[in-house]
Amino acid sequence: MVYTADANSLPALVGRDEDVERVEALLGSVDSGGAVLLSGEPGVGKTTLLNLLGQRALTAGARVLRAGGTAVESEVAYSGLNQLLFPVWEESSGTLEGAHRDALRVALGFGSGTPPDRFLVSNAALVLLRGAAAETPILLIVDDLQWVDPASTAVLQFVARRLSGSRITFLAATHPGKRGHLESGGRAEYEIPPLDGESSRLLAGLRHPDLAGCALDCVIAAAQGNPLALVELPAALSGPQRAGLERLPDPLPLSRRLREAFGSRVAALPAATRRLLLVSALEETGDVAVLQAAVQRLCSASGPTDLEAAECHGLVHIDQFGHRLRFLHPMIRTAVLEGSTPTERRAVHRELAEVLNEWPDRRAYHLGEACTELDECVAALLEGSAHRLVRRGDATAAIRALTKAAHLSPGAADRARRLSAAAYVRADASGELITASRLIDDARRVGTDERALLYSAAVSVHRLLDGEGDIDTAHQTLLKAIESLDRSYDACDLALDEALHLLVLLCCLGGRRELWVPLEKILDRLGADVPRLLAVYVATQGDPARTALPAQPDLEELIAGLPQETSPARITRIGVVSLTADRFADVRDSVSRISPQGRKQIFVLPLLCTDAFLTGRWDEATALADQGVRLCKELSFEALSWYFVYYRAVVAAARGDAATAGEAAEAMALWGTSRGALHLVTLAEHVQVLIRQAEGDFERVYGHAAAVSPAGELAPYTPVALLVVVDLVEAAVRTGRREEAAAHVRAVRSAGIARLSPRRAMLVDAAAAMAAEADEAAIELFEQALSHPGVQQWPFDWARVTLAYGERLRKARSTTEARASLRAALAAFEELGARPWADRAARTLQASGGMTRRAEGPEPVMLTPQELEIAHLAATGLTNKQIAERLYLSPRTVGGHLGRIFPKLGIASRAALRDALMNLGER
């Protein structure tokens, strides 16, 4: 029987609509009467679901009889049946015959006598319920069936098997793996699943609207869809933790209700099983061999049966090969830990350390947790483990190891260094600058050493980058700390390695010679001890026009070693240096292995944006940039957010959205100028170059490109200079600056930029072709540019070169060849959505006779292809000089064409051109 009700009159359950429908369908799966057994983890919402279904039944006109099992009454015979039948005993017991009435009266405790036969009690209960349901249908609800006494459970099973044809439905709930004695027959089963991610976020947000985003994410991860955990976990957090100002403990503490829900299941287990669960909770990896070895050291009497008992109770799961154990819910592990004493936990950690000699990082962790006194040997093991964990990308474990090492350090300097290292890893990995600053303050109070000073300076730099600080202040802060060192470079020195890479980042943002020179002096002093990655990083990011080419052999070795690389930071940096040589395709798979979580993702996303833009996936580039801006805002990393603003702007500019791109460029330039970030200023100039290119304003293109790098030279420490080579040369030619164009081509060829990659070679040859005065030489250079292997994988650059080639072929009167190139360029631009460039290609193609408009009407207006192109350009507002620059004509020739166009169109001025051309297109 399915009970229905007006849904608007009942409270909604978040994310449970489908579950309610499924259970009601199961209840109605028998013609008349049915039974359903619900199961699910503690807190999954079994009771709440029972309550809702009971309310729906009441609203539909049914009668609801309820009972609930408890541990206290689990041994009291027929206590559960008493709860269920008590409401109908007085009113319906008269329908029972004498034997049935007497048996049920004694069983329910309403009279004395000899314990009745269970079969007689079961029949009596069924007759009583059928009689009570004669006028009003009944829904029987039994919660916590696992705690209902066996005698009552047997009666309930008897009743559940005989509901067909009655007006009675039966709904019970139990823990998974704990079905009481209600085994099978006459009932359906439904296991209530955890909430999905969207519903989890909605429920936690509704109940705790003040919870910060990072804290909400931790709660959702820990709860794993358990509604009770989603509601209760935040209640055990402090105010700063809820606000996201302090890091949350691991594991999250349980509230009283959660301890009751999960802890009760653990407390009911035998001591040996609880001991095994404690070992499992502290060992964390679930290696069954390690667990059993540690348990046997603690208590030789423990064995495989204890493991089986934990699994049978629905607390853990062991894989099919018996090698790995996992808790079925994180709350069970937390309940195990909270149910143990500190002495018990330390004993387990000691034994685990003894059986983990072959795993130094795991052994160091357990030794640290077992220590109760200061111990430099253990602290040193933890510090070494932390360095390895950082290189593997496990920042959370590294912070934990460093903090523990600091607390175990007898020496003040050692403690200060380890606290400072923990602070830096926290600031770098998660952006938790408040917590990191507190650790730095703690370190300063106990002592200092030179590496502690490095870490402290690095944390200060993060604060400056994340706030309103300028590049020069951050650079000086870090440089001073590095220069205070009086020792040679140690490749294992995490402090110096991270400080130098952070200094490179500041130099890149600053984009000025005076920032790079001190870094280069430091590297010269370190000599051969400079790691290959750092050397290549500096060579490709600082002054790539002069230093990137010699670094190519080292780059090849770094790329070749990527399959074995585990450090997210190193993988990301190799990805960065690969871009200069257009080698990102060779590192893309390795970069994709980096977990897309936290602050490190901010450094990965610019690589993906660059790759997506260059390879023509512009919608993806914009989406990635949007994600980057959002992440930078959430994680407080304002300085790097401008890189994502830049990628949104270049796509907008290339697609003709000048307003969006221009606004972004102005904001970038303003922020970069005010904080000494010249690199952002030059990126803003590049955006302006693309905007003016789309408009055909070559005078302004030249001005913006020359602001990045003057004609005839590649500005030092300005990587953007390599982006505007073709733009500067083309604009110089179009505006009559042929000497400047030739000088810039010579500078680019002299630098050897063409040897960095086929794409770079294509652009250098294209620039040379544009600067060539003789058509024959230009055409040969264009053909050479487009013949480099694989250049079509960079569609925007390839299409621009192909368009310029078609324009030069048309100028040289090679009309057929010009049309082929122009059509290819047009197709590529249209695929990219680069509307201004597609329009330019279409107009040139039309002017070459490759496209014609079909005139309809008795007197078509006849414009030559060149007249039509000039008319369209003039209609956009270009002057005669600007049109002449685009079409390789003189301004006087353009004026003559316009003088013939106006009478043909029946107009007298440029202002009427747009409407006249529109009317022409409609004919």
Side-chain angles (χ1 to χ4, degrees):
M1 181 181 299
V2 179
Y3 301 109
T4 60
D6 180 6
N8 295 326
S9 66
L10 300 175
L13 289 182
V14 174
R16 290 302 188 200
D17 290 348
E18 183 177 342
D19 297 306
V20 171
E21 292 176 3
R22 291 283 301 278
V23 174
E24 287 193 324
L26 290 172
L27 280 172
S29 61
V30 180
D31 291 338
S32 297
V36 176
L37 178 64
L38 303 180
S39 64
E41 287 293 337
V44 79
K46 299 185 296 295
T47 300
T48 306
L49 191 57
L50 290 177
N51 291 340
L52 177 63
L53 291 166
Q55 182 63 45
R56 291 171 73 97
L58 285 171
T59 305
R63 185 175 189 177
V64 177
L65 303 179
R66 300 195 61 145
T70 62
V72 174
E73 296 185 359
S74 61
E75 301 300 325
V76 179
Y78 297 116
S79 59
L81 194 62
N82 177 282
Q83 291 183 63
L84 199 65
L85 300 184
F86 182 81
V88 296
W89 170 255
E90 288 295 337
E91 63 188 65
S92 301
S93 59
T95 63
L96 297 175
E97 297 179 356
H100 281 158
R101 178 181 173 82
D102 292 342
L104 194 57
R105 180 175 55 83
V106 173
L108 296 180
F110 298 142
S112 60
T114 305
D117 177 74
R118 186 170 294 175
F119 184 74
L120 191 61
V121 173
S122 298
N123 269 304
L126 181 60
V127 171
L128 180 71
L129 287 168
R130 282 181 176 269
E135 295 184 4
T136 304
I138 290 176
L139 170 64
L140 305 175
I141 293 180
V142 181
D143 201 359
D144 286 320
L145 181 65
Q146 72 277 3
W147 295 119
V148 172
D149 64 281
S152 295
T153 305
V155 174
L156 293 175
Q157 177 166 305
F158 179 91
V159 170
R161 290 168 59 90
R162 290 162 176 79
L163 293 180
S164 179
S166 72
R167 304 183 71 196
I168 306 166
T169 50
F170 176 78
L171 185 60
T174 185
H175 289 174
K178 298 287 288 182
R179 304 179 185 278
H181 302 281
L182 190 66
E183 288 303 326
S184 62
R187 61 171 172 81
E189 295 185 17
Y190 184 72
E191 182 171 351
I192 303 173
L195 294 177
D196 59 30
E198 182 179 352
S199 298
S200 295
R201 186 169 295 276
L202 177 60
L203 176 60
L206 287 172
R207 294 299 296 269
H208 301 280
D210 62 328
L211 207 59
C214 56
L216 178 61
D217 291 340
C218 289
V219 167
I220 290 172
Q224 290 192 357
N226 186 285
L228 181 63
L230 289 165
V231 171
E232 289 290 321
L233 282 174
L237 301 178
S238 68
Q241 289 170 340
R242 292 168 65 89
L245 301 177
E246 289 185 2
R247 190 174 185 84
L248 272 62
D250 183 23
L252 296 179
L254 300 184
S255 67
R256 178 186 58 79
R257 290 184 65 195
L258 287 173
R259 281 194 295 272
E260 291 173 354
F262 289 94
S264 59
R265 300 180 64 190
V266 175
L269 296 172
T273 303
R274 291 201 308 273
R275 186 182 301 110
L276 184 142
L277 288 178
L278 179 58
V279 176
S280 304
L282 293 174
E283 196 275 334
E284 295 186 1
T285 68
D287 188 325
V288 171
V290 171
L291 299 180
Q292 290 181 330
V295 170
Q296 287 174 2
R297 289 178 63 90
L298 287 163
C299 179
S300 58
S302 296
T305 55
D306 300 314
L307 200 61
E308 294 170 3
E311 189 172 25
C312 289
H313 279 75
L315 301 176
V316 299
H317 172 72
I318 303 170
D319 67 29
Q320 60 178 330
F321 303 106
H323 298 156
R324 293 285 168 188
L325 175 149
R326 67 175 178 85
F327 287 96
L328 288 178
H329 196 280
M331 297 296 101
I332 298 174
R333 175 178 177 268
T334 305
V336 170
L337 292 174
E338 291 195 358
S340 64
T341 66
T343 301
E344 289 173 331
R345 292 194 293 272
R346 284 193 293 269
V348 170
H349 281 301
R350 277 194 295 271
E351 299 308 325
L352 284 170
E354 289 300 319
V355 300
L356 288 170
N357 283 316
E358 297 181 11
W359 293 274
D361 293 338
R362 292 164 65 187
R363 179 172 181 269
Y365 165 70
H366 290 294
L367 285 173
E369 294 300 310
C371 275
T372 57
E373 299 178 350
L374 301 180
D375 190 323
E376 176 56 29
C377 291
V378 175
L381 289 174
L382 285 166
E383 185 176 21
S385 172
H387 291 175
R388 292 188 295 272
L389 290 167
V390 167
R391 290 188 169 89
R392 290 204 300 267
D394 192 347
T396 300
I399 293 167
R400 181 175 64 184
L402 286 166
T403 305
K404 188 68 177 181
H407 293 157
L408 294 176
S409 303
D414 292 327
R415 178 176 293 190
R417 180 184 68 254
R418 289 158 182 163
L419 282 173
S420 299
Y424 172 73
V425 176
R426 189 178 293 282
D428 182 59
S430 65
E432 295 179 42
L433 295 178
I434 294 176
T435 305
S437 297
R438 290 173 182 167
L439 287 170
I440 290 294
D441 292 340
D442 291 343
R444 287 170 178 163
R445 280 193 289 269
V446 298
T448 189
D449 72 358
E450 57 186 16
R451 281 187 289 171
L453 290 173
L454 274 183
Y455 286 128
S456 178
V459 172
S460 297
V461 166
H462 276 296
R463 282 203 300 261
L464 288 166
L465 288 177
D466 291 5
E468 296 298 320
D470 61 272
I471 300 300
D472 287 346
T473 301
H475 184 272
Q476 287 300 314
T477 299
L478 191 55
L479 183 63
K480 182 178 179 181
I482 294 173
E483 290 181 335
S484 68
L485 297 176
D486 186 21
R487 64 218 285 346
S488 61
Y489 191 92
D490 181 357
C492 297
D493 189 339
L494 176 66
L496 183 56
D497 184 70
E498 290 298 316
L500 288 171
H501 276 100
L502 187 55
L503 188 61
V504 173
L505 173 61
L506 293 173
C507 292
C508 287
L509 282 168
R512 287 168 280 137
R513 176 182 177 83
E514 59 266 28
L515 300 180
W516 283 98
V517 170
L519 172 61
E520 291 169 352
K521 290 180 179 178
I522 292 172
L523 298 181
D524 288 342
R525 188 167 72 244
L526 296 173
D529 291 329
V530 178
R532 177 183 287 113
L533 177 54
L534 180 61
V536 175
Y537 205 85
V538 171
T540 57
Q541 304 308 299
D543 194 7
R546 294 163 182 81
T547 58
L549 192 58
Q552 294 306 291
D554 287 333
L555 174 60
E556 291 291 338
E557 292 191 27
L558 290 171
I559 292 175
L562 268 177
Q564 291 75 45
E565 187 59 67
T566 59
S567 166
R570 285 180 58 83
I571 293 172
T572 302
R573 288 163 182 163
I574 293 171
V576 171
V577 300
S578 73
L579 290 173
T580 302
D582 292 316
R583 296 291 303 277
F584 190 75
D586 297 319
V587 306
R588 190 182 292 118
D589 289 343
S590 296
V591 169
S592 67
R593 301 202 312 262
I594 299 175
S595 175
Q597 300 294 328
R599 194 173 173 95
K600 289 297 183 186
Q601 189 184 7
I602 294 179
F603 294 95
V604 173
L605 285 174
L607 309 182
L608 302 179
C609 285
T610 303
D611 179 54
F613 180 76
L614 289 177
T615 55
R617 306 187 321 272
W618 287 3
D619 291 337
E620 181 182 338
T622 300
L624 289 167
D626 290 341
Q627 182 183 356
V629 170
R630 186 172 61 254
L631 270 175
C632 284
K633 183 177 181 180
E634 290 175 0
L635 299 174
S636 300
F637 214 154
E638 186 176 7
L640 289 190
S641 69
W642 293 104
Y643 285 99
F644 301 112
V645 173
Y646 163 75
Y647 279 107
R648 289 197 301 201
V650 293
V651 173
R655 284 180 163 170
D657 186 355
T660 298
E663 182 179 350
E666 290 175 6
M668 287 174 62
L670 179 62
W671 195 92
T673 301
S674 65
R675 290 163 177 80
L678 185 58
H679 181 56
L680 297 181
V681 177
T682 58
L683 286 175
E685 293 287 1
H686 181 227
V687 174
Q688 293 286 4
V689 165
L690 291 175
I691 293 171
R692 305 312 165 193
Q693 276 278 15
E695 295 173 347
D697 189 346
F698 289 103
E699 187 64 43
R700 296 177 73 181
V701 169
Y702 183 84
H704 288 297
V708 174
S709 181
E713 65 175 284
L714 291 171
Y717 303 98
T718 309
V720 182
L722 300 184
L723 299 179
V724 298
V725 168
V726 170
D727 301 284
L728 193 150
V729 171
E730 181 181 20
V733 171
R734 299 269 193 170
T735 58
R737 298 178 172 93
R738 286 200 167 272
E739 291 186 6
E740 289 86 342
H744 207 64
V745 170
R746 287 195 297 272
V748 173
R749 286 202 180 281
S750 176
I753 302 303
R755 285 180 283 166
L756 287 174
S757 74
R759 183 178 72 92
R760 304 279 189 189
M762 173 183 69
L763 295 175
V764 170
D765 287 340
M770 292 174 180
E773 295 194 31
D775 290 337
E776 185 177 346
I779 290 171
E780 183 178 346
L781 285 167
F782 272 123
E783 290 173 351
Q784 179 177 305
L786 294 169
S787 67
H788 291 290
V791 291
Q792 282 187 291
Q793 65 183 292
W794 298 290
F796 186 51
D797 288 322
W798 176 86
R800 286 189 59 182
V801 173
T802 302
L803 171 60
Y805 179 37
E807 290 172 336
R808 194 60 180 258
L809 285 169
R810 174 175 170 258
K811 179 176 179 293
R813 309 295 185 186
S814 297
T815 307
T816 302
E817 294 84 352
R819 290 172 185 167
S821 292
L822 294 169
R823 287 192 184 100
L826 175 60
F829 288 133
E830 288 180 336
E831 180 72 20
L832 291 168
R835 190 71 262 157
W837 295 88
D839 290 344
R840 174 174 160 183
R843 286 194 300 270
T844 308
L845 179 59
Q846 189 173 3
S848 69
M851 293 177 64
T852 58
R853 296 185 184 273
R854 183 169 57 90
E856 296 179 2
E859 297 180 2
V861 176
M862 300 299 296
L863 294 182
T864 67
Q866 189 165 73
E867 287 175 345
L868 191 60
E869 184 175 20
I870 290 171
H872 277 291
L873 293 175
T876 64
L878 296 184
T879 65
N880 288 4
K881 182 181 179 182
Q882 291 170 330
I883 296 171
E885 291 168 358
R886 297 195 68 163
L887 301 182
Y888 298 97
L889 302 172
S890 70
R892 184 174 180 179
T893 301
V894 172
H897 279 295
L898 287 172
R900 291 187 291 275
I901 291 169
F902 289 176
K904 289 184 178 182
L905 295 176
I907 60 177
S909 68
R910 289 175 182 259
L913 267 174
R914 186 183 299 275
D915 291 340
L917 289 172
M918 188 178 298
N919 293 333
L920 180 63
E922 293 173 355
R923 296 188 196 176

